[in-house]
Amino acid sequence: KAGVTQTPRYLIKTRGQQVTLSCSPISGHRSVSWYQQTPGQGLQFLFEYFSETQRNKGNFPGRFSGRQFSNSRSEMNVSTLELGDSALYLCASSLGSGTTEAFFGQGTRLTVV
Amino acid sequence: AQSVTQLDSQVPVFEEAPVELRCNYSSSVSVYLFWYVQYPNQGLQLLLKYLSGSTLVKGINGFEAEFNKSQTSFHLRKPSVHISDTAEYFCAALSGGSYIPTFGRGTSLIVHP
């Protein structure tokens, strides 16, 4: 079956702009999580959606937001981009229970200039 | 809150030598443990997981890990590494009742010919 698909793979934006990233989970998976990965901070959890509801949230400013659609596809939005937002953004999908593994997409590399 | 410590940020090793990547987690009544691998410009791929049962867990690509409750450790081992094992390795822990795993900072495994 198809894996987790993230689009676009690469993105270059200017400071102050906003950006929307997309994630299509594995068919049947209802949980989608987003992570920010940087060399300095490692993997940091942004938020998790389950059945269109935000179930968990990490410690990020309100500029970072997300949503999940009825088909479980998820989008993440970052407004008023800052240079420090440059990172690899990873999406992971799972069935939604705590013991099941997360399947990761290849990520979106965002560069803010 | 759960925390995960990967004791080595970088582990250099020669091809065909054995390797151990160390991971410690904070104590929890029930915990599920995972090791993921990330190749350059890719997402994370599950190597193995411990949910319950035998403390020695075998995963893909010849890796194995041992769950040690008394030492709160979950070290990853491989008896003979290949050049293709060069990658970033992440240990993750999931406490009972939580849906979001906590990731360590990662260990860069560098295999030299």
Side-chain angles (χ1 to χ4, degrees), chain A residues 49-112:
Chain A
Y49 286 85
F50 181 81
S51 294
E52 302 180 66
T53 301
Q54 188 180 84
R55 189 164 63 172
N56 289 279
K57 187 177 188 306
N59 189 26
F60 275 80
R63 300 186 296 108
F64 292 81
S65 63
R67 58 178 176 169
Q68 186 179 34
F69 302 94
S70 58
N71 61 358
S72 292
R73 189 177 71 85
S74 176
E75 287 182 348
M76 190 192 95
N77 186 75
V78 187
S79 62
T80 320
L81 283 166
E82 301 176 359
L83 295 179
D85 297 333
S86 294
L88 180 67
Y89 290 87
L90 292 167
C91 163
S93 81
S94 74
L95 289 171
S97 78
T99 60
T100 57
E101 69 182 270
F103 293 81
F104 283 81
Q106 291 187 302
T108 294
R109 172 76 62 184
L110 172 65
T111 302
V112 182

Side-chain angles (χ1 to χ4, degrees), chain A residues 9 37 40 96 98 101-102 105-106, chain B residues 38 41-43 46 94 99 105:
Chain A
R9 286 293 312 278
Q37 185 179 23
E101 69 182 270
Q106 291 187 302
Chain B
Q38 183 180 34
N41 296 314
Q42 299 292 320
L46 184 73
L94 190 62
Y99 298 104
R105 294 294 296 269

Side-chain angles (χ1 to χ4, degrees), chain B residues 69-84:
Chain B
K69 188 174 182 178
S70 63
Q71 297 187 4
T72 60
S73 68
F74 190 55
H75 300 334
L76 181 71
R77 303 184 183 101
K78 186 168 182 177
S80 175
V81 295
H82 301 290
I83 297 285
S84 59

Side-chain angles (χ1 to χ4, degrees), chain B residues 7 15 19 27 31 45 48 59 65 92 95-96 98 102:
Chain B
L7 296 157
E15 194 173 20
V19 71
S27 181
V31 64
Q45 178 186 2
L48 48 77
S95 297
S98 172
T102 300

